Amino acid sequence: MGDVWTWLISFFFLIALVGIIVYQLVCLADLEFDYINPYDSASRINFVVLPEFILQGTLCFYYLVTGHWLMTLFCLPYLFYDYQLYSKGQHLIDVTEIFNLLNREKKKRLFKLGYIILILFLTIFWMIYSALDDYDD
Amino acid sequence: MGTENPGYPIFPARPTSSPFASSPPSAMTQQSGRPAGGSETSGFRPFPPSTSQNTRPPASGLVPPSVAPNTIPSQAPVPPFGSRMPLSRPPPPPSVSSPPTAYAPPGGGPFQRFPTPPFPTAAQTPLPVPPMGPPPAQTLPGQLSSPPVSFRSQQQVPPVPIGSSSQSFTSGLPGANPSQPTGDSQSFAPRPGFQQPFPPTSSYSGGAPLPGFPSKQINAIPPAPAVSFSPTAQSVVLAPPSTVAPYPPHQGGFAQPPALAAQQNLHPGYASPISNVQGLVEDFSSLSVASVPGSLEPGLDHKSFPRPLDGDVEPNSFAEMYPMNCPSRYLRLTTNAIPNSQSLASRWHLTLGAVVCPLAEAPEGEEVPLIDFGSTGIIRCRRCRTYVNPFVTFTDSGRKWRCNICALLNDVSGEYFSHLDSTGRRIDLDQRLELTKGSVEFIAPTEYMVRPPMPPIYFFLIDVSISAIRSGMLEVVAQTIKSCLDKLPGYPRTQIGFITYDSTIQFYNMKSSLSQPQMMVVSDLDDIFVPLPDDLLVNLSESRSVVEAFLESLPSMFQDNINVESAFGPALKAAFMVMNQLGGKLLIFQNTLPSLGVGRLKLRGDDPRVYGTDKEYALRIPEDPFYKQMAADCTKFQIGVNVYACSDKYIDIASLGTLAKYTGGQMYYYPGFQSSVHGDKLRHELARDLTRETAWEAVMRIRCGKGIRFTSYHGNFMLRSTDLIALPAVDCDKAYAMQLSLEETLLTTQTVYFQVALLYTASCGERRIRVHTAVAPVVADLGEMYRQADTGSIVSVFTRLAIEKTLSSKLDDARNLVQQRIVKALREYRNLHAVQHRLGSRLIYPESLKFLPLYAMALSKSTPLQAGHADASLDERCAAGFTMMAMPVKKLLKLLYPNLIRVDEWLLKPSVGENDGFKDVLKRLPLAAESLDSRGLYIYDDGLRSVLWFGRMLSPDISKNLLGADFAAELSRVTLKEQENGMSKKLTRLIKKLREIDPSYYRMCHLVRQGEQPREGFLLLRNLVEDPMGGSTGYVDWIMQLHRHVQQNS
């Protein structure tokens, strides 16, 4: 029974991550179509970058603690990539160069989004699986 | 010749009957130049045919004679021109005669460039070629193949091949044009696949001197002049085939590459006659490169290599073709022919883009006219917001106008209404400068202001730590500012303020009621606050006496300061807090590495081991994000930052310069500043910065026609939205580069328009919009793009790309970037011609790009890109990078390939008046060590500094006259002073003259004697770009290297 809860919690984690990334994408898209200025766009995105990383790290740790080491493995590349960005100081958006980086930043986030959604599906699958398992028991 | 003849009979009748000859040029331009809709077409239908007829006849008129005189001496072509054309086309004769002038100056180049070695190949080329002529002809009607036949016979007469072919190439033109009337009457109906590059020309140039046509002629028959004008026709005639690119350079537009042969069938009239001729003569310039790669054969004569000794020669055919375009000092495209498809654009490896210098200094009498629309408001397109310009068309008897960029029909407001005359142009055209000039300035009404126009504001942030005082910087700065107070623009609104800093920050209250400024010291660097925020920035005219008193006492106030720290970051923040109400210009004088508070910088080791590794780039980007953030904030609040860094130690220009880079400012760097040596330079440059006309709180946008889009911008500024450049303060010494790309796979229009609009506040407090409009033809032929290429602009864009590349990767990569693109371009060009010509071991390039390889080499040896760690200190490298990112085209080219002139002979000549032969002495020499004669005295001048080089065997009299008693001393300690003798005065005059030519930077005159190492190498020898130096290649090797790369896979 506990397993379902585990999956359910990680499911919310993932939904939050998806929300954060979609928010960043929306900011970038707004910038591209000139709805907001680069200063606002950059500060809004930079405001949620660290929470995103922390959330992601927590999720990974959570999987590890709850014993789902396979999912941990799935999360690790993402975490490693984030860590790399952070250690190079490239995790924040550079407001002065934002327009030159726009496409790359968008692509980056789209990949992240795809990855997260993949993990989300896995999680949902495991959640349903374990729920059915519980039911069978 | 069947196709040509139909055009021919029409000709005599036309010119007389057509209004063409009589109608003023502008009318024609107005009318025929537009992408007219069906409705207007009727209005001026008579014209297009007549213009096109007119352009055609000259050519067709040529035909019969041209065939005949082929066997006659080559001067023959000229008479036919004259006899045919007197009525309708006075210009052509000049145009025929102009080629020599156009080509003569480089003439030395082109001809000596192909020295003896090419001759054998030259002789060979014609032979294999004729057989190649016919194949293209197979696709064409039989009659069309006749020209080649006649050619072949001509070819056998060795002395005239070139002249004749170019003539008959012109004869091809008529064939090409007949279908044009249809084209014109349909106006701009899309012509599938086949864009005739020049129809707009003929229709545009309409009236007056048919600028388009002459220009074609000029470029079209470079060799012809050679033939007809050179006294020794025989020898020259032999040379051209291998050498110059005689042949239809321009109509190459019509001449299709073989791949398009199928399309030629659709329009036999356009292309076929020429493609027959193609292959007979060459369309390019070439350098014969030794056939054994790597070995220097004696045949390789580097003296004949092209060198830009005449400075930057702009392609003027373009300006003639579109006389209403804005002058090229404001806007220069990398090629004045826009590709019509993405596939064509992808074959153009020399970036597609433009360099814009919106406020370039106009020569006397050519100032940009100021137009006040008053209550009418500024006329703009409803949809795309394009400003009214000479290329818009008025229709519906003057009630509507069509936007040239988006083709939307706009209503003409009541106040702006004017009737159209019978030719469809506005009656009041002469009074409407915005409809006749490519560059105009509008006075903007209040809708263009978000706040009242700001006054000019100068705020000074001055380092007063011990090194600033020791080096004398503080004194020079204080004196200069004081002397410029009268000349600051914008009196009486100008505002001024000062902050000084060492380990603390000193604010100065300069309220007008005070007699002496009050100093307030803030020492809490972590929590900056501004005391008396209202009195720190004061109106100059009100507080004049306080400001003067302050500047007078400033040096003495700190003369005993022994503080070595520099709280730069907090001081910058304080200045920002004072200024962010209004914006303005912030001038920072920094003398040491920022060491306290936020934004302090570490001594980043200029570690030689880092070079060549992946971490190398990190040295060239700001270390602390504080600087980027500050720069972004400054731009947001309309603060432009200029940084003056004077230091003998590492000061981290990479970080400090970021402030200037993103605020549209400028970075000045004075390594090893000593007021006795560099004082004049700082004085001059600071004075220019303070007094030059400055545009405040500006934004710039460049619009272009449908189907293309500017994708990236390069220079010192910050983007406020995808295509809006924010420029808190901008002046005539700043240029911006941009690259464009095609959005649609196929452009259906025949021309593309560009409009640069700079909205700014003038110093006088008026809000103004400066608008530059230009048009470029759309072409379907790669060869045409090459012919219309603009080397200066290409080099300028490449420079910026390469410097940007150094900020994210190794220097090597940046240099390779440039080289690879040039190789790709030359390879593409070679492929274009390899089919028809036997190229052998020649490096071929279009005439328009003959200097490109040299400039590219100079670029890779320039300070920001040059080889390794030892060649330039990190600071110098970064400073040069920031400077070059902002430079206008001409200055950049001069910096890349500086002037080297010999002056001793001129000095010895007796003096004749004030301007004694400056012209003679300003003859530039190739930048190679062998240009230096040890008996001579030379001036090297790259626009930023100059070097006076004394040869070892220079007559002692000269040195004694110039240097006085010091002449035998070591020259590093000698400065050039005017002596009491004619020779010294003459030299001083010359140096002054050189400085006046370009006042944006002050050329310090360094003296160096031959053999005085290492100064000589550092000051001069290293900058002789044609010589191999250290690890870098010389000009000859560079050409060989390019050639080798080009030949791979080609």
Side-chain angles (χ1 to χ4, degrees):
Chain A
M1 184 65 200
D3 226 23
V4 178
W5 282 107
T6 315
W7 289 119
L8 200 63
I9 289 169
S10 71
F11 173 80
F12 286 121
F13 266 114
L14 285 165
I15 291 292
L17 269 178
V18 168
I20 289 178
I21 295 173
V22 167
Y23 174 74
Q24 295 180 12
L25 277 170
V26 167
C27 285
L28 289 174
D30 278 357
L31 178 70
E32 194 173 0
F33 294 106
D34 211 4
Y35 293 133
I36 52 174
N37 66 45
Y39 303 98
D40 291 348
S41 182
S43 64
R44 282 180 203 181
I45 293 173
N46 290 342
F47 185 71
V48 295
V49 164
L50 273 189
E52 179 206 328
F53 286 12
I54 292 167
L55 204 59
Q56 163 69 20
T58 321
L59 177 67
C60 197
F61 185 69
Y62 177 76
Y63 277 136
L64 190 68
V65 169
T66 51
H68 302 288
W69 56 270
L70 193 68
M71 291 305 285
T72 314
L73 277 188
F74 268 117
C75 284
L76 269 183
Y78 188 118
L79 192 64
F80 178 70
Y81 176 69
D82 282 351
Y83 172 75
Q84 277 240 310
L85 283 185
Y86 184 77
S87 61
K88 283 191 208 154
Q90 290 172 355
H91 57 293
L92 293 180
I93 292 245
D94 177 1
V95 64
T96 52
E97 292 287 346
I98 191 165
F99 286 103
N100 297 336
L101 302 172
L102 199 58
N103 280 330
R104 199 189 312 162
E105 295 288 339
K106 259 167 84 174
K107 228 170 257 165
K108 241 185 337 199
R109 283 171 174 76
L110 277 176
F111 273 112
K112 274 189 183 177
L113 190 64
Y115 197 83
I116 295 283
I117 286 176
L118 188 80
I119 295 177
L120 186 66
F121 276 125
L122 278 178
T123 309
I124 293 173
F125 169 79
W126 284 116
M127 184 163 66
I128 294 169
Y129 184 85
S130 55
L132 289 178
D133 239 19
D134 285 351
Y135 183 74
D136 285 348
D137 294 341
Chain B
M1 298 280 161
T3 37
E4 282 105 54
N5 288 337
Y8 175 50
I10 311 176
F11 159 61
R14 283 288 175 168
T16 41
S17 63
S18 86
F20 162 63
S22 56
S23 82
S26 49
M28 292 304 299
T29 331
Q30 275 293 316
Q31 286 308 324
S32 42
R34 71 192 50 162
S39 60
E40 338 165 9
T41 327
S42 56
F44 63 97
R45 183 159 291 183
F47 293 95
S50 71
T51 34
S52 50
Q53 289 297 347
N54 272 321
T55 44
R56 207 169 320 125
S60 57
L62 259 178
V63 176
S66 77
V67 177
N70 282 332
T71 48
I72 321 174
S74 43
Q75 305 243 340
V78 182
F81 262 108
S83 60
R84 280 288 158 193
M85 316 282 26
L87 244 182
S88 59
R89 300 189 71 236
S95 84
V96 172
S97 54
S98 61
T101 55
Y103 278 81
F111 286 104
Q112 28 171 278
R113 194 176 338 134
F114 312 102
T116 35
F119 271 66
T121 43
Q124 285 163 15
T125 343
L127 295 179
V129 169
M132 298 175 85
Q138 288 165 1
T139 58
L140 314 159
Q143 346 120 275
L144 293 176
S145 57
S146 54
V149 176
S150 62
F151 266 0
R152 224 171 291 164
S153 58
Q154 296 157 16
Q155 211 63 350
Q156 287 155 4
V157 184
V160 212
I162 291 309
S164 62
S165 49
S166 47
Q167 289 154 16
S168 43
F169 128 57
T170 1
S171 79
L173 180 54
N177 273 337
S179 44
Q180 200 185 328
T182 23
D184 269 340
S185 56
Q186 297 164 355
S187 244
F188 283 51
R191 291 186 196 159
F194 183 57
Q195 290 279 352
Q196 188 190 3
F198 276 93
T201 319
S202 53
S203 44
Y204 264 71
S205 46
L210 277 179
F213 193 76
S215 72
K216 276 186 205 169
Q217 287 266 337
I218 292 175
N219 289 304
I221 23 173
V227 174
S228 44
F229 288 83
S230 85
T232 55
Q234 289 250 340
S235 63
V236 180
V237 164
L238 271 174
S242 74
T243 61
V244 195
Y247 156 72
H250 273 239
Q251 277 70 6
F254 303 92
Q256 302 271 301
L260 293 176
Q263 285 174 349
Q264 287 176 11
N265 281 337
L266 300 174
H267 303 267
Y270 282 118
S272 36
I274 295 184
S275 56
N276 286 329
V277 204
Q278 203 167 38
L280 291 183
V281 218
E282 292 174 357
D283 193 8
F284 44 78
S285 311
S286 68
L287 281 176
S288 197
V289 179
S291 51
V292 189
S295 83
L296 265 180
E297 285 191 359
L300 191 59
D301 180 10
H302 66 275
K303 285 205 180 69
S304 63
F305 285 6
R307 292 186 175 90
L309 299 181
D310 296 312
D312 172 32
V313 182
E314 288 164 38
N316 51 1
S317 65
F318 184 57
E320 286 166 21
M321 203 161 31
Y322 299 107
M324 289 192 297
N325 267 3
C326 62
S328 63
R329 60 179 166 272
Y330 302 118
L331 172 70
R332 276 173 83 164
L333 297 170
T334 54
T335 171
N336 292 319
I338 303 299
N340 73 338
S341 66
Q342 281 177 345
S343 62
L344 184 58
S346 67
R347 291 169 64 204
W348 171 255
H349 301 286
L350 301 167
T351 173
L352 208 52
V355 181
V356 176
C357 183
L359 292 173
E361 278 174 309
E364 201 86 2
E366 287 182 44
E367 287 88 2
V368 177
L370 187 63
I371 293 160
D372 188 0
F373 277 119
S375 58
T376 322
I378 292 177
I379 318 276
R380 299 178 73 176
C381 173
R382 237 178 323 129
R383 183 165 60 195
C384 65
R385 310 303 290 154
T386 299
Y387 295 87
V388 70
N389 62 65
F391 303 103
V392 304
T393 48
F394 286 83
T395 58
D396 203 5
S397 52
R399 284 191 293 272
K400 299 236 188 263
W401 63 275
R402 187 178 293 279
C403 167
N404 55 331
I405 286 189
C406 71
L408 182 78
L409 264 186
N410 291 277
D411 294 329
V412 175
S413 70
E415 293 109 321
Y416 199 64
F417 177 80
S418 157
H419 287 287
L420 305 184
D421 68 9
S422 58
T423 60
R425 68 185 190 121
R426 283 171 66 109
I427 295 172
D428 64 348
L429 197 65
D430 329 339
Q431 290 121 49
R432 295 285 182 193
L433 285 173
E434 73 274 13
L435 296 179
T436 51
K437 296 250 188 226
S439 296
V440 288
E441 208 158 66
F442 300 123
I443 293 181
T446 41
E447 300 96 81
Y448 292 84
M449 305 170 195
V450 274
R451 56 174 188 178
M454 60 178 271
I457 291 174
Y458 292 89
F459 199 85
F460 299 89
L461 191 57
I462 306 173
D463 181 1
V464 291
S465 62
I466 183 165
S467 58
I469 294 145
R470 288 264 168 88
S471 65
M473 180 200 81
L474 187 62
E475 200 179 342
V476 174
V477 168
Q479 280 169 2
T480 313
I481 297 173
K482 190 159 163 272
S483 66
C484 288
L485 286 181
D486 282 326
K487 290 178 271 176
L488 290 182
Y491 176 86
R493 302 165 67 238
T494 318
Q495 295 190 18
I496 197 167
F498 296 86
I499 287 182
T500 58
Y501 60 98
D502 41 25
S503 61
T504 56
I505 302 170
Q506 296 98 36
F507 296 84
Y508 298 92
N509 177 357
M510 305 220 240
K511 218 161 129 175
S512 54
S513 51
L514 298 170
S515 62
Q516 282 287 318
Q518 278 175 354
M519 189 204 278
M520 290 156 288
V521 180
V522 172
S523 51
D524 181 5
L525 300 180
D526 295 327
D527 184 22
I528 294 293
F529 70 98
V530 176
L532 294 174
D534 299 332
D535 296 329
L536 298 176
L537 196 56
V538 293
N539 184 304
L540 177 62
S541 52
E542 287 167 14
S543 304
R544 178 67 187 260
S545 57
V546 193
V547 171
E548 271 185 5
F550 166 72
L551 287 171
E552 222 147 75
S553 58
L554 181 61
S556 54
M557 232 187 305
F558 291 100
Q559 63 188 353
D560 302 322
N561 193 356
I562 46 158
N563 203 323
V564 292
E565 303 286 354
S566 163
F568 174 76
L572 180 63
K573 273 187 127 171
F576 174 77
M577 286 155 84
V578 176
M579 291 181 78
N580 67 15
Q581 296 296 318
L582 285 171
K585 205 166 180 170
L586 174 63
L587 293 95
I588 300 175
F589 299 87
Q590 175 68 10
N591 222 297
T592 45
L593 196 65
S595 59
L596 285 181
V598 58
R600 65 177 159 269
L601 296 167
K602 290 195 296 282
L603 200 71
R604 278 196 276 188
D606 195 4
D607 185 357
R609 277 167 303 178
V610 178
Y611 282 85
T613 67
D614 289 338
K615 289 200 176 116
E616 180 192 320
Y617 76 92
L619 290 175
R620 295 184 284 267
I621 55 172
E623 194 184 11
D624 190 334
F626 166 78
Y627 289 92
K628 272 196 169 180
Q629 193 54 49
M630 265 329 276
D633 289 343
C634 284
T635 305
K636 192 176 178 183
F637 291 99
Q638 308 290 1
I639 301 169
V641 181
N642 285 1
V643 181
Y644 292 79
C646 316
S647 173
D648 46 356
K649 291 196 285 293
Y650 178 72
I651 193 173
D652 205 344
I653 298 291
S655 299
L656 295 179
T658 308
L659 291 169
K661 178 178 164 109
Y662 292 109
T663 58
Q666 208 166 335
M667 173 80 227
Y668 299 86
Y669 178 49
Y670 307 89
F673 183 86
Q674 282 301 326
S675 63
S676 55
V677 185
H678 305 84
D680 280 337
K681 189 170 166 69
L682 175 58
R683 222 167 273 142
H684 175 98
E685 283 164 11
L686 176 56
R688 179 168 169 91
D689 188 13
L690 292 176
T691 55
R692 68 187 159 194
E693 185 52 52
T694 303
W696 307 88
E697 46 179 353
V699 288
M700 184 169 86
R701 175 173 269 141
I702 173 160
R703 295 183 171 83
C704 54
K706 209 164 140 264
I708 59 175
R709 197 165 70 89
F710 281 98
T711 44
S712 63
Y713 300 83
H714 311 275
N716 292 356
F717 56 78
M718 203 178 125
L719 283 172
R720 189 171 296 167
S721 75
T722 38
D723 60 344
L724 190 68
I725 296 177
L727 301 166
V730 56
D731 50 66
C732 57
D733 296 327
K734 311 272 160 58
Y736 308 93
M738 42 208 78
Q739 287 183 288
L740 57 86
S741 64
L742 270 69
E743 275 188 317
E744 289 168 14
T745 42
L746 207 63
L747 292 184
T748 49
T749 48
Q750 295 205 329
T751 48
V752 171
Y753 298 90
F754 298 94
Q755 187 171 68
V756 182
L758 178 82
L759 172 64
Y760 69 96
T761 301
S763 295
C764 61
E766 228 165 34
R767 197 84 171 133
R768 292 182 186 169
I769 307 166
R770 183 173 280 217
V771 179
H772 304 296
T773 315
V775 58
V778 173
V779 300
D781 171 38
L782 190 62
E784 184 59 26
M785 292 178 68
Y786 276 107
R787 270 183 292 278
Q788 297 290 336
D790 179 345
T791 307
S793 179
I794 293 172
V795 171
S796 201
V797 177
F798 275 170
T799 304
R800 288 153 202 258
L801 291 179
I803 293 174
E804 271 174 17
K805 184 91 179 169
T806 64
L807 303 182
S808 61
S809 49
K810 289 181 275 188
L811 291 173
D812 247 351
D813 297 344
R815 287 190 294 260
N816 285 342
L817 169 97
V818 177
Q819 185 181 356
Q820 271 167 13
R821 295 189 75 162
I822 286 173
V823 166
K824 271 191 203 158
L826 290 179
R827 185 184 296 154
E828 195 75 50
Y829 190 72
R830 189 180 176 88
N831 293 343
L832 205 60
H833 293 278
V835 185
Q836 288 106 338
H837 304 274
R838 178 187 286 179
L839 299 172
S841 63
R842 282 185 292 153
L843 178 67
I844 69 162
Y845 48 84
E847 181 71 16
S848 57
L849 297 177
K850 60 183 172 187
F851 302 135
L852 185 62
L854 178 58
Y855 278 127
M857 182 184 71
L859 173 61
S860 61
K861 291 179 173 187
S862 62
T863 319
L865 298 180
Q866 65 183 211
H869 161 257
D871 291 309
S873 77
L874 185 56
D875 275 346
E876 272 175 63
R877 215 179 266 278
C878 294
F882 287 123
T883 308
M884 285 165 76
M885 284 294 277
M887 270 194 168
V889 177
K890 276 186 193 297
K891 287 169 194 167
L892 180 68
L893 291 186
K894 190 172 172 200
L895 180 64
L896 289 179
Y897 197 86
N899 293 352
L900 182 67
I901 50 184
R902 181 169 183 166
V903 290
D904 56 309
E905 284 155 9
W906 175 76
L907 284 177
L908 287 173
K909 261 190 263 168
S911 183
V912 222
E914 267 298 296
N915 278 332
D916 31 7
F918 280 131
K919 281 256 153 40
D920 307 336
V921 73
L922 293 177
K923 187 172 153 288
R924 299 173 65 178
L925 298 168
L927 277 177
E930 60 189 49
S931 301
L932 297 172
D933 180 351
S934 60
R935 284 163 299 184
L937 176 70
Y938 293 82
I939 292 184
Y940 163 93
D941 168 27
D942 66 4
L944 300 184
R945 57 170 190 175
S946 52
V947 176
L948 197 58
W949 186 86
F950 292 79
R952 198 182 287 129
M953 326 235 300
L954 177 69
S955 112
D957 290 346
I958 299 186
S959 355
K960 202 184 277 175
N961 278 338
L962 296 179
L963 302 174
D966 298 330
F967 79 98
E970 201 186 324
L971 290 183
S972 56
R973 290 196 211 103
V974 180
T975 48
L976 193 66
K977 287 194 256 339
E978 193 174 308
Q979 308 288 337
E980 277 305 312
N981 58 59
M983 196 181 284
S984 174
K985 286 196 170 129
K986 216 167 159 186
L987 184 72
T988 321
R989 268 207 306 280
L990 177 69
I991 291 173
K992 197 163 153 242
K993 174 98 180 166
L994 288 177
R995 284 180 183 147
E996 277 165 4
I997 290 175
D998 171 19
S1000 49
Y1001 292 94
Y1002 182 85
R1003 285 47 135 354
M1004 275 204 23
C1005 199
H1006 302 270
L1007 308 178
V1008 69
R1009 185 171 285 138
Q1010 184 177 15
E1012 195 179 314
Q1013 295 295 359
R1015 279 184 75 238
E1016 187 192 17
F1018 174 72
L1019 285 173
L1020 182 65
L1021 297 185
R1022 203 182 67 189
N1023 298 315
L1024 298 176
V1025 291
E1026 287 184 23
D1027 288 336
M1029 250 298 155
S1032 63
T1033 49
Y1035 196 11
V1036 176
D1037 290 338
W1038 172 258
I1039 291 285
M1040 303 279 290
Q1041 204 177 326
L1042 284 185
H1043 182 63
R1044 255 198 316 276
H1045 286 299
V1046 168
Q1047 283 209 312
Q1048 284 163 5
N1049 334 316
S1050 73

